Amino acid sequence: MKVRPRILMDCDPGIDDAFAILCALRFTDLAAITTVSGNVSIDNTTRNARYILELAGAEVPVHRGAAAPLEVPAMAADDIHGRSGLGDMSVPEAMISEHSLRAVDAILEYCESGDAIIVATGPLTNIAQALLKDPTLAERISHLYWMGGSTSEGNVTDRAEFNAWADPHAVDVTFRSMVPLTMYGLNLTHQVRMTTEHIEQLRAAGSSTSMIMADLLAYYSTHGTVSDIGQPVHDTCAVLGVTHPELFSIEKSNIVTHVADDDRRGMTEVQDHDTTSATTVRVAGTAHASSVVDLVVTAAIDPAGDDQP
Ligand code: RIB
Ligand code: CA
């Protein structure tokens, strides 16, 4: 029986964040969720996290986080995730209320005993604020798994990925903290896509979660960069990188983060020559995509299940 790793998940739900939350419920011991402004406003990402947890029948504390990036203005991605952040559904208020402790203090409390695992699937604003508030925090984080950045193409500009572009200063603060980090960038997540076949699979399963996730995947498949090879479920890779590391190849790389507000903003550039301004992080390179997607489907159908494929 696989031991479930205990994690804190920082996210900006967001449709692929929703799939990632279900993966976290299925395959990890999800201690807490902290929310951040990113795909949509902090009000919406916080409401959406509470809704997905309630839909899955999970009682996990939700801590509201940053309403804006460290320095640049907030820019939503509602063209892809819908105005609510969960497609075109009007998201009901969950019975689960948000926790009174805000995200930064929840992260500091969660990391108190050391060896903490954090999965981040949005802009790194909360993580950076926690690191700035307590400069010793990085010593108590055993690993940060982040969906963000890219060593190849971008999706906001031709060079920058959304989570990095949305708050490049937070990326720089986090990388420079030397926290042990694995980056699941677009170079990796573009390999992991769900198609209309998976929409049909989710609908056929007929569970309360799979029916909603089928609708969200259908919306996601017709918005943003529509592709006939399916839509990348980016954020699930960071969660499954914790629980199923054998499905990913990882290499160390020297990365320079571009923070200037120019055409390179948010670029996470591999810099193996002049490493003076680079930081060394682990970068996920390849995925066993079909196995990853099968796990996502399993979690979307039955997030409370306990057989550990
Ligand atoms: O670039 C993809 C990332 O940006 C994902 O985390 C998605 O949810 C959006 O936040
Ligand atoms: Ca996200």
Side-chain angles (χ1 to χ4, degrees):
M1 183 76 170
K2 257 188 172 182
V3 175
R4 287 168 175 248
R6 184 168 172 75
I7 72 167
L8 175 145
M9 187 171 169
D10 186 80
C11 55
D12 63 332
I15 292 173
D16 58 328
D17 301 77
F19 277 103
I21 290 171
L22 298 179
C23 288
L25 290 172
R26 175 70 189 244
F27 302 118
T28 79
D29 171 12
L30 182 57
I33 282 184
T34 52
T35 57
V36 66
S37 160
N39 285 318
V40 289
S41 70
I42 188 63
D43 287 345
N44 283 351
T45 59
T46 305
R47 182 205 57 209
N48 294 344
R50 290 165 47 219
Y51 167 72
I52 292 295
L53 289 170
E54 187 162 88
L55 182 69
E59 288 187 18
V60 173
V62 175
H63 304 270
R64 175 186 289 257
L70 294 185
E71 294 190 28
V72 297
M75 292 287 283
D78 51 10
D79 52 332
I80 296 171
H81 297 268
R83 290 180 62 76
S84 71
L86 292 181
D88 50 10
M89 71 183 289
S90 57
V91 183
E93 277 298 317
M95 296 298 285
I96 307 171
S97 56
E98 63 184 76
H99 196 282
S100 57
L101 197 63
R102 288 299 167 100
V104 167
D105 291 327
I107 290 167
L108 293 174
E109 187 175 277
Y110 169 74
C111 296
E112 248 168 30
S113 56
D115 291 334
I117 298 174
I118 297 177
V119 175
T121 64
L124 289 170
T125 316
N126 292 335
I127 308 298
Q129 286 179 342
L131 289 163
L132 290 168
K133 186 169 183 178
D134 177 352
T136 68
L137 176 63
E139 299 159 16
R140 295 191 295 285
I141 298 174
S142 68
H143 214 87
L144 171 61
Y145 298 79
W146 178 50
M147 190 281 134
S150 177
T151 59
S152 56
E153 70 273 20
N155 59 4
V156 177
T157 64
D158 62 354
R159 300 168 175 201
E161 177 279 329
F162 176 79
N163 289 338
W165 181 88
D167 194 345
H169 299 91
V171 179
D172 198 40
V173 165
T174 304
F175 281 24
R176 290 184 188 285
S177 76
M178 309 307 283
V179 63
L181 183 148
T182 301
M183 185 177 105
Y184 294 79
L186 296 183
N187 54 290
L188 184 278
T189 64
H190 276 175
Q191 302 168 42
V192 182
R193 293 174 181 265
M194 294 181 82
T195 65
T196 49
E197 172 204 322
H198 299 111
I199 296 173
E200 287 151 20
Q201 207 177 338
L202 291 171
R203 289 208 199 289
S207 73
S208 56
T209 49
S210 73
M211 297 304 280
I212 294 293
M213 298 315 291
D215 289 345
L216 293 185
L217 184 55
Y219 183 95
Y220 193 45
S221 304
T222 54
H223 290 71
T225 46
V226 177
S227 160
D228 56 10
I229 55 170
Q231 288 304 312
V233 275
H234 308 278
D235 295 335
T236 62
C237 296
V239 174
L240 296 174
V242 183
T243 59
H244 296 78
E246 69 279 5
L247 298 182
F248 303 90
S249 69
I250 308 285
E251 280 187 2
K252 280 193 177 180
S253 201
N254 297 310
I255 300 284
V256 170
T257 305
H258 291 265
V259 299
D261 199 8
D262 56 22
D263 66 349
R264 297 163 73 87
R265 166 179 158 179
M267 189 177 163
T268 48
E269 182 181 19
V270 176
Q271 183 64 273
D272 287 329
H273 308 298
D274 170 14
T275 58
T276 46
S277 54
T279 50
T280 303
V281 294
R282 289 161 27 116
V283 174
T286 60
H288 194 287
S290 60
S291 301
V292 173
V293 171
D294 286 349
L295 291 167
V296 176
V297 170
T298 297
I301 292 172
D302 182 10
D306 58 7
D307 58 305
Q308 284 286 308

